[in-house]
Amino acid sequence: MMRIPFIAGNWKMNTTAAEAEKLVHDMLDRLDRIEEVEKVLCPPFISLVTIRELLKGSSIKLGAQNMWFETKGAYTGEISPLMLRESCEFVILGHSERRRYFGETDEIINKKIKAALENKLKPILCVGERLEENEAGRTEEVIGRQLNQDLNQVKPTHNIVIAYEPIWAIGTGKAASGEQAAATIKFIRDILAELWNKGIAQDLRILYGGSVTSHNIAEFISQPEIDGALVGGSSLEAEEFLSIVNQTAEIKGD
Ligand code: PEP
């Protein structure tokens, strides 16, 4: 199975509803025409329904940035997979900002992954090591543990995308090198082969995330192991995001 390149924009807690609509308007037609890449926008919850309508009939898909693992009930302030399913195909889970600021453990992330898949949502599972872990040479140990726990008792599936996001590279302007990222992504693929099987590990898209811009995307995407990117800050500017997707289409299309 050929791995279709994949670029997702994580808008995080940015854009009012009006700003979100404008951002979509500014790139909709041009983004829609880029056929060789699977494109996903992950705006704040409050804009999902409006953006779903704007994207109707286009090739651009919608993702949420988080969800709770129960389908309904007394969980004030939370959003369930059932609610997301009406608008979204994807959901980002295990993002380091959720792990760090909101105390999400691998056990919680594991429950969320299972709930997403049971409710026909495709998780974009983020894993990554902290700076001190990287410097101590513990990257593989940390990522191996995260994958084993986050995917514990999850049946092999094609409906998941993995994002390798070294925490020290997120929002810092200090990206990993293409070679570094490719080596860790190869390691992730090996873990998936052990955990599930070689076939699925070869088929699944594994992205790099962390300070990706139009200036460095080529370095990542030209690595055969890297199937795309999860883009934070640079997904908030239409021209920047379009350039990232266009370069991905050109390089992976060669
Ligand atoms: C992210 O939010 O997943 C991310 C990688 O952010 P940034 O591109 O801003 O580093």
Side-chain angles (χ1 to χ4, degrees), residues 10-14 42 65-66 92-105 109 112 126-130 146 165-172 209-211 230-233 236:
N10 173 17
W11 296 2
K12 312 195 190 198
M13 198 180 71
N14 294 296
C42 304
Q65 298 175 17
N66 182 33
I92 299 173
L93 294 175
H95 194 283
S96 63
E97 287 152 15
R98 301 287 326 164
R99 294 176 189 258
R100 184 155 139 216
Y101 302 130
F102 304 98
E104 286 196 16
T105 60
I109 294 160
K112 290 185 174 192
C126 304
V127 294
E129 81 287 3
R130 293 199 297 262
Q146 287 173 338
E165 299 211 307
I167 296 171
W168 45 273
I170 299 179
T172 58
S211 297
L230 180 54
V231 184
L236 291 167

Side-chain angles (χ1 to χ4, degrees), residues 95-96 100 126-131 133-134 139 143 146 163-172 174-177 180-181 184-185 188 207-212 220:
H95 194 283
S96 63
R100 184 155 139 216
C126 304
V127 294
E129 81 287 3
R130 293 199 297 262
L131 181 61
E133 293 164 337
N134 180 281
T139 299
I143 286 169
Q146 287 173 338
Y164 167 53
E165 299 211 307
I167 296 171
W168 45 273
I170 299 179
T172 58
K174 189 181 165 215
S177 72
Q180 250 178 325
T184 307
I185 285 175
I188 292 174
L207 320 176
Y208 167 74
S211 297
V212 167
F220 297 106

Side-chain angles (χ1 to χ4, degrees), residues 11 18-33 41 54-55 60 235-242:
W11 296 2
E19 287 165 349
E21 259 190 73
K22 181 173 183 313
L23 185 51
V24 171
H25 274 299
D26 288 348
M27 55 187 174
L28 182 60
D29 292 342
R30 287 177 292 164
L31 198 56
D32 184 28
R33 284 198 294 272
L41 302 181
L54 294 177
L55 297 183
I60 306 160
S235 67
L236 291 167
E237 286 172 46
E239 299 309 319
E240 180 71 4
F241 192 64
L242 279 162

Side-chain angles (χ1 to χ4, degrees), residues 58-249:
S58 83
S59 60
I60 306 160
K61 297 175 176 174
L62 200 54
Q65 298 175 17
N66 182 33
M67 57 162 233
W68 190 236
F69 54 76
E70 299 287 353
T71 46
K72 62 179 180 175
Y75 301 98
T76 302
E78 285 295 338
I79 308 272
S80 89
L82 269 188
M83 299 168 188
L84 292 182
R85 195 167 80 178
E86 292 183 321
S87 303
C88 298
E89 184 170 332
F90 291 91
V91 58
I92 299 173
L93 294 175
H95 194 283
S96 63
E97 287 152 15
R98 301 287 326 164
R99 294 176 189 258
R100 184 155 139 216
Y101 302 130
F102 304 98
E104 286 196 16
T105 60
D106 288 302
E107 197 185 340
I108 291 175
I109 294 160
N110 177 245
K111 287 185 178 167
K112 290 185 174 192
I113 297 273
K114 288 176 181 159
L117 290 167
E118 275 161 21
N119 287 284
K120 309 266 178 288
L121 285 163
K122 298 175 183 166
I124 301 173
L125 168 63
C126 304
V127 294
E129 81 287 3
R130 293 199 297 262
L131 181 61
E132 56 279 19
E133 293 164 337
N134 180 281
E135 287 174 348
R138 294 180 49 220
T139 299
E140 295 193 351
E141 171 204 325
V142 171
I143 286 169
R145 191 185 60 231
Q146 287 173 338
L147 284 170
N148 272 285
Q149 295 182 357
D150 299 346
L151 298 177
N152 183 31
Q153 294 187 349
V154 175
K155 291 196 196 83
T157 176
H158 282 95
N159 291 327
I160 191 165
V161 174
I162 312 285
Y164 167 53
E165 299 211 307
I167 296 171
W168 45 273
I170 299 179
T172 58
K174 189 181 165 215
S177 72
E179 273 176 22
Q180 250 178 325
T184 307
I185 285 175
K186 158 98 178 49
F187 170 77
I188 292 174
R189 214 177 284 291
D190 291 345
I191 296 270
L192 292 171
E194 268 173 40
L195 210 58
W196 287 345
N197 62 63
K198 264 194 183 159
I200 289 218
Q202 276 311 311
D203 291 345
L204 289 182
R205 271 86 57 89
I206 310 182
L207 320 176
Y208 167 74
S211 297
V212 167
T213 68
S214 62
H215 301 288
N216 64 16
I217 183 67
E219 177 178 347
F220 297 106
I221 227 61
S222 53
Q223 297 279 344
E225 276 295 341
I226 305 183
D227 302 311
L230 180 54
V231 184
S234 296
S235 67
L236 291 167
E237 286 172 46
E239 299 309 319
E240 180 71 4
F241 192 64
L242 279 162
S243 169
I244 289 170
V245 179
N246 265 319
Q247 291 183 58
T248 301

